[in-house]
């Protein structure tokens, strides 16, 4: 029983934190532009309004399931990753080899989204999906190599073990022990958050908003919530992998906040790559960086 | 350059009118039989390779349409206007759309706006700006635009006074000043 | 399934819920990025740091599926009206129309034009008019604040009016769109 309550609280807190982070990032972007920017709570208002709008357009089964896929993927990641060290639920769910499952599930959420957007039949959505999948295959590679390098170096494929190995002070954090792999993973974090210069999926100048073009009202509301949850899941995963995990809720909030601001700040000062530029960069630079550490660990 | 063009045109066509508007800007008027020949010659042998515009003017009083082809030579930055008069009833002008594909759009527009037909244009009669137009072509001068507007779009309500306070005074009081907004809220209560 | 039946009447809503939702609706107006006339030029400065409409929660959406507000920015030709009707009916309820400029009120300087309609309210239900030819960005922001107030009070019911009087609007629309080829019910 207490497990269920704990799960519900975890998900609710992640949702609120994710939406709040989205609102803060909109304000920060606006301030960088020299504007006032919306309220910090703007995302909550948007989600509530969208949820209460009438929904009368849909395009088939996969279209319905896409937001669910994404939310499911996000919740799975949240339950696998040790959010706070000692948190009973997530530490009980952990098992040997769950790092691979996490990488797969993150891909799964995006894949569901791609199938749903493809089912909507809008040409812009289809273009965006093909771009997104091409880009995903390139950044997933560098991210996976970075994770494998870390896991091999620490002799554990269990995320709980990776967190536990970083508890001996700041110098034992993986970002200092595996600097090249961390750099590769952090570069792959930018396209994961669809930040510029890698924002070729949403690309407002060419394919106005890409995959969710046909999504309306409640679907869009769910998609926004899913994106917020997924964002938090990714942040927690990165904090656990590279930044020593979180020993308390406060340190979790501080770490995830700082990590979230990194793509926001980068994205508001960079223009956008073209598709082939983005993919070429992701194939060469982060992958090479991650490989350096993998080779070092192997030797 | 323009002098040579003038000479070449004068030799081959009976020019009704020849005005040199600027040093590189020539306006030539020919009769309707040789209009298309003059345009083609300007393209093939005088170097005016760009068609900028085909325009029509409705001379209702003289019962004619004045067609004008505006050509440009980018090499010498000179402009040549070739115009010709066509009778107003059942006006037929040869199409140039196989020479310049862009001419097709101008010709469709002129067909729609003036009723001038261009045989030879493959897309003639397709809707260009007006969809489902049933009246006489609207840019003809015997078309009464105001009467049409009143008949189709209905009577609009013109203002009797021109004093803006009559119309927007209250709204300005209510919304545009902070004090006004407060007062309006109080009055409502 | 959805395109061939008359619109359903909106059911009764719980009042407290509706009030909270109205607050949310007023503070998150998403505008269809669709400019019909010269007024679309005056909408662009609203994004910039000088006027910044994002501080009211107003954002541009490139697709009518996700929008709440349709801005008729200035004169409306009959050819454009066809597209506007299509766009308006694809917006999900509740939806609002803001009409800019004197052209939408009584034809403005195009009152005797052969293809510009004079009174927009006959064809689509307008919630807020903004005066001017063209209205400055400040005036448009003022119009938006009026719309927000109307939504908060629950007075912006143009979309309900449109559904209830669909026959009247359709009759007027078909009168000026002579080659009507839209679906009759298009939700």
């Amino acid at each position: 029983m207490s497990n269920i309550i704990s799960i519900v609280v975890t998900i609710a807190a992640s949702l609120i934190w994710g939406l709040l982070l989205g609102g803060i990032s909109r304000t920060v972007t606006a301030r960088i532009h020299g504007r006032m920017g919306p309220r910090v709570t703007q995302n909550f208002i948007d989600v509530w309004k969208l949820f209460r709008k009438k929904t009368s357009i849909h395009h088939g089964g996969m279209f319905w399931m896409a937001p669910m896929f994404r939310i499911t993927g996000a919740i799975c990641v949240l339950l696998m990753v040790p959010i706070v060290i000692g948190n009973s639920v997530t530490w009980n769910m952990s098992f040997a080899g769950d790092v691979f499952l996490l990488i797969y599930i993150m891909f799964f959420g995006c894949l569901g989204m791609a199938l749903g957007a493809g089912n909507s039949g809008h040409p812009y959505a289809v273009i965006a999906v093909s771009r997104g999948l091409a880009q995903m295959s390139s950044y997933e590679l560098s991210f996976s190599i970075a994770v494998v390098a870390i896991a091999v170096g620490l002799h554990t494929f269990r995320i709980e073990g990776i967190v536990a190995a970083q508890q001996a002070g700041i110098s034992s954090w993986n970002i200092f022990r595996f600097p090249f792999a961390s750099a590769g993973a952090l570069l792959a974090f930018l396209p994961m958050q669809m930040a510029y210069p890698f924002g070729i999926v949403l690309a407002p100048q060419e394919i106005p908003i890409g995959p969710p073009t046909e999504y309306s009202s409640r679907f869009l509301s769910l998609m926004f919530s899913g994106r917020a949850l997924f964002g938090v899941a990714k942040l927690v995963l990165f904090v656990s992998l590279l930044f020593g995990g979180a020993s308390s809720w406060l340190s979790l909030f501080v770490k995830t906040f700082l990590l979230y601001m990194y793509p926001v700040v980068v994205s508001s000062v960079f223009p956008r790559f073209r598709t082939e530029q983005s993919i070429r960069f992701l194939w060469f630079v982060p992958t090479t960086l991650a490989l350096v550490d993998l080779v070092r660990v192997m030797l | 350059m323009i002098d040579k063009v003038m000479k070449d045109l004068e030799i081959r066509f009976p020019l009704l009118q020849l005005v040199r508007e600027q040093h590189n800007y020539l306006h030539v008027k020919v009769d309707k039989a040789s209009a298309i020949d003059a345009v083609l010659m300007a393209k093939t042998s005088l170097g005016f390779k760009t068609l900028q515009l085909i325009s029509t003017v409705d001379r209702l009083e003289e019962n004619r349409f004045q067609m004008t082809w505006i050509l440009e030579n980018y090499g010498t930055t000179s402009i040549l206007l070739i115009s010709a008069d066509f009778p107003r009833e059942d006006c037929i002008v040869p199409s140039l759309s196989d020479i310049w594909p862009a001419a097709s759009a101008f010709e469709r527009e002129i067909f729609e706006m003036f009723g001038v037909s261009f045989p030879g244009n493959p897309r003639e009669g397709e809707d260009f700006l007006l969809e489902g137009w049933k009246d006489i072509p609207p840019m003809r001068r015997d078309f009464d635009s105001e009467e049409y507007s009143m008949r189709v779009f209905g009577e609009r309500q013109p203002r009797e006074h021109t004093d803006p306070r009559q119309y927007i005074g209250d709204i300005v009081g209510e919304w545009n000043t902070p004090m006004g907004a407060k007062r309006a809220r109080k009055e409502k209560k | 399934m959805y395109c061939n039946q008359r619109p359903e009447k909106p059911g009764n809503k719980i009042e407290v819920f509706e009030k909270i939702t109205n607050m949310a609706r007023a503070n998150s107006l998403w505008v269809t990025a669709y400019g019909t006339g010269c007024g679309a030029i005056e909408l662009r400065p609203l994004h910039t740091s000088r006027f910044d409409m994002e501080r009211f929660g107003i954002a541009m959406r490139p697709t009518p599926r996700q929008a709440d507000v349709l801005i008729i920015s200035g004169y409306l030709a009959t050819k454009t009206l066809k597209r506007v009707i299509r766009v308006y009916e694809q917006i999900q309820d509740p939806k609002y129309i803001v009409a800019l400029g004197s052209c939408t009120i009584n034809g403005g300087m195009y009152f005797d034009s052969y293809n510009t309609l004079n009174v927009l309210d006959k064809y689509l239900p307008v919630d807020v008019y903004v005066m001017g030819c063209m209205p400055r960005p400040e005036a448009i922001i003022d119009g938006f604040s009026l719309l927000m107030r109307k939504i908060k009070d629950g007075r912006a019911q143009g979309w309900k009016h449109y559904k209830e009087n669909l026959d009247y609007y359709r009759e007027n629309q078909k009168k000026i769109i002579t080659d009507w080829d839209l679906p009759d019910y298009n939700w």
Side-chain angles (χ1 to χ4, degrees):
Chain A
M1 189 65 205
S2 69
N3 269 4
I4 292 172
I5 292 172
S6 172
I7 288 171
V8 170
V9 168
T10 308
I11 293 167
S14 316
L15 182 60
I16 292 170
W17 182 233
L19 289 174
L20 197 62
L21 277 176
I24 294 171
S25 84
R26 280 172 79 173
T27 313
V28 168
T29 314
R31 292 297 159 91
I32 293 172
H33 293 168
R35 294 186 281 124
M36 277 283 287
R39 302 171 185 78
V40 176
T41 52
Q42 186 64 47
N43 277 6
F44 295 97
I45 300 174
D46 288 350
V47 165
W48 179 249
K49 177 208 76 174
L50 286 172
F51 194 74
R52 297 278 293 159
K53 257 175 105 78
K54 198 187 166 208
T55 313
S56 60
I57 299 161
H58 72 85
H59 297 274
M62 211 51 226
F63 188 82
W64 279 84
M65 287 187 16
M68 314 298 168
F69 265 50
R70 190 172 232 197
I71 289 185
T72 314
I75 289 175
C76 285
V77 176
L78 275 174
L79 291 184
M80 299 284 168
V81 182
I83 294 179
V84 175
I85 294 165
N87 182 323
S88 60
V89 179
T90 51
W91 280 66
N92 288 343
M93 302 267 277
S94 181
F95 56 89
D98 58 357
V99 166
F100 291 120
L101 187 69
L102 282 176
I103 294 174
Y104 170 70
I105 284 178
M106 282 176 65
F107 189 73
F108 172 80
C110 300
L111 200 65
M113 180 67 225
L115 289 174
N119 200 352
S120 75
H122 197 281
Y124 287 164
V126 176
I127 293 171
V129 162
S130 65
R131 286 176 173 200
L133 290 180
Q135 199 187 40
M136 195 193 295
S137 62
S138 49
Y139 72 69
E140 283 288 331
L141 180 77
S142 56
F143 178 63
S144 312
I145 293 175
V147 171
V148 169
I150 291 169
V152 170
L154 296 175
H155 298 290
T156 171
F157 274 102
R158 190 175 174 153
I159 193 128
E160 190 184 304
I162 294 177
V163 175
Q166 303 179 61
Q167 296 308 312
I170 288 181
S171 59
S172 69
W173 286 7
N174 283 339
I175 192 168
F176 300 114
R177 285 167 71 181
F178 303 94
F180 292 104
S182 305
L186 284 176
L187 277 177
F189 187 59
L190 289 175
M192 265 183 215
Q193 293 287 62
M194 290 188 241
Y196 283 22
F198 303 103
I200 58 171
V201 179
L202 296 184
Q205 294 85 0
E206 303 161 8
I207 39 169
I209 45 171
T213 308
E214 283 288 313
Y215 279 88
S216 63
S217 324
R218 242 165 240 198
F219 295 116
L220 196 63
S221 167
L222 273 182
M223 199 159 281
F224 271 35
S225 325
R227 189 187 289 173
L229 267 179
F230 207 51
V232 171
K234 272 183 263 184
L235 290 172
V236 172
L237 181 64
F238 265 78
V239 166
S240 307
L241 282 178
L242 304 180
F243 298 97
S247 53
S248 68
W249 286 99
L250 182 69
S251 81
L252 177 78
F253 286 141
V254 172
K255 280 177 181 171
T256 49
F257 178 77
L258 291 177
L259 189 58
Y260 191 83
M261 280 304 122
Y262 145 67
V264 169
V265 173
V266 171
S267 131
S268 55
V269 292
F270 268 101
R272 181 163 53 76
F273 274 150
R274 290 204 306 267
T275 312
E276 74 272 17
Q277 289 170 328
S278 163
I279 289 170
R280 193 174 301 143
F281 181 88
L282 289 171
W283 271 102
F284 284 106
V285 181
T287 313
T288 319
L289 282 171
L291 270 176
V292 168
D293 253 359
L294 185 62
V295 171
R296 189 174 62 92
V297 168
M298 293 288 197
L299 293 178
Chain B
M1 168 63 205
I2 281 288
D3 296 326
K4 186 179 165 293
V5 171
M6 275 160 69
K7 244 179 244 164
D8 278 5
L9 283 169
E10 262 173 348
I11 293 166
R12 295 185 200 185
F13 300 105
L15 301 186
L16 303 179
Q17 192 188 346
L18 194 147
V19 186
R20 188 163 181 180
E21 312 256 3
Q22 284 170 20
H23 70 284
N24 59 352
Y25 181 178
L26 189 68
H27 188 176
V28 174
K29 194 158 192 184
V30 295
D31 62 354
K32 74 172 188 177
S34 50
I36 291 299
D37 293 342
V39 172
L40 290 180
M41 196 202 87
K43 183 185 186 224
T44 48
S45 55
L46 302 181
F48 289 91
K49 290 200 172 151
T50 311
L51 174 75
Q52 284 202 334
L53 186 69
I54 304 175
S55 84
T56 311
V57 181
D58 186 2
R59 307 271 186 208
L60 181 63
E61 294 82 3
E62 297 148 35
N63 204 21
R64 61 186 171 91
F65 280 130
Q66 182 189 332
M67 302 287 302
T68 308
W69 289 265
I70 304 179
L71 311 174
E72 183 167 359
N73 183 346
Y74 278 129
T76 57
T77 62
S78 45
I79 295 173
L80 176 65
L81 272 72
I82 298 175
S83 54
D85 287 343
F86 287 80
R88 214 161 162 280
E89 282 84 36
D90 299 328
C91 183
I92 292 175
V93 180
S95 169
L96 284 174
S97 55
D98 46 350
I99 316 283
W100 285 286
S104 171
F106 296 128
E107 287 167 358
R108 275 163 66 205
E109 186 180 14
I110 290 170
F111 175 73
E112 208 160 64
M113 291 296 174
F114 291 94
V116 179
S117 74
F118 291 86
N121 184 346
R123 299 182 66 185
E124 182 175 15
E126 267 180 48
D127 281 342
F128 188 68
L129 293 173
L130 309 169
E131 289 180 347
W133 184 263
K134 297 210 173 89
D135 222 296
I136 62 170
M139 295 292 270
R140 284 192 179 222
R141 279 179 51 212
D142 46 1
F143 171 77
D144 188 349
S145 189
E146 187 168 358
E147 185 270 331
Y148 179 85
S149 174
M150 290 304 146
R151 176 157 50 82
V152 174
F153 302 118
E155 227 27 72
R156 66 179 197 139
Q157 298 88 38
R159 291 177 176 174
E160 287 164 10
H161 310 277
T162 47
D163 182 11
R165 218 166 302 168
Q166 291 255 345
Y167 300 98
I168 58 175
D170 295 349
I171 303 169
V172 168
E174 186 178 352
W175 300 113
N176 276 21
T177 63
M179 287 309 290
K182 260 186 201 168
R183 198 169 56 234
R185 251 174 269 149
K186 259 185 201 168
E187 277 168 15
K188 216 183 253 173
K189 279 173 192 169
Chain C
M1 171 181 180
Y2 292 100
C3 289
N4 52 14
Q5 45 188 255
R6 286 187 70 85
E8 301 152 19
K9 287 230 167 89
N12 289 329
K13 301 274 168 62
I14 305 165
E15 200 162 316
V16 183
F17 244 46
E18 203 63 1
K19 263 186 187 164
I20 299 170
T21 313
N22 277 343
M23 293 290 282
R25 279 170 190 153
N27 286 311
S28 146
L29 292 172
W30 288 1
V31 180
T32 326
Y34 184 68
T36 61
C38 44
I41 295 291
E42 298 291 333
L43 290 175
R44 301 298 170 265
L46 287 173
H47 299 281
T48 57
S49 43
R50 178 159 179 169
F51 298 105
D52 185 25
M53 63 184 185
E54 206 187 358
R55 67 198 149 113
F56 304 112
I58 303 169
M60 280 285 183
R61 300 310 283 188
T63 147
R65 302 266 193 242
Q66 303 173 1
D68 307 305
V69 184
L70 179 61
I71 294 185
I72 309 292
S73 48
Y75 62 81
L76 194 57
T78 44
K79 186 178 174 181
T80 323
L81 179 67
K82 214 188 213 177
R83 278 80 183 163
V84 166
I85 291 168
R86 194 80 205 244
V87 168
Y88 178 69
E89 292 183 354
Q90 285 184 18
I91 299 177
Q92 305 289 292
D93 300 336
K95 48 195 170 186
Y96 317 101
I97 291 190
V98 176
L100 307 185
S102 33
C103 293
T104 50
I105 300 173
N106 61 5
M109 61 188 280
Y110 297 104
F111 72 98
D112 59 351
S113 168
Y114 58 89
N115 69 345
T116 309
L117 51 92
N118 284 352
V119 184
L120 175 63
D121 210 20
K122 281 188 198 167
Y123 312 102
L124 288 170
V126 179
D127 287 297
V128 170
Y129 282 112
V130 181
M131 288 170 289
C133 181
M134 283 310 296
R136 292 270 307 145
E138 293 95 332
I140 299 175
I141 288 179
D142 192 47
F144 269 119
S145 69
L146 178 57
L147 178 64
M148 283 157 80
R149 213 168 297 198
K150 276 185 90 171
I151 295 171
K152 271 180 204 163
D153 298 350
R155 288 187 286 129
Q157 303 285 5
W159 55 280
K160 262 186 202 166
H161 192 260
Y162 185 74
K163 287 193 166 178
E164 282 157 10
N165 302 294
L166 189 70
D167 295 328
Y168 166 77
Y169 284 112
R170 274 280 183 275
E171 193 195 332
N172 282 342
Q173 289 163 0
K174 282 183 181 170
K175 204 171 137 197
I176 63 166
I177 300 178
T178 43
D179 60 334
W180 178 270
D181 53 2
L182 306 180
D184 261 351
Y185 309 115
N186 169 22
W187 309 105

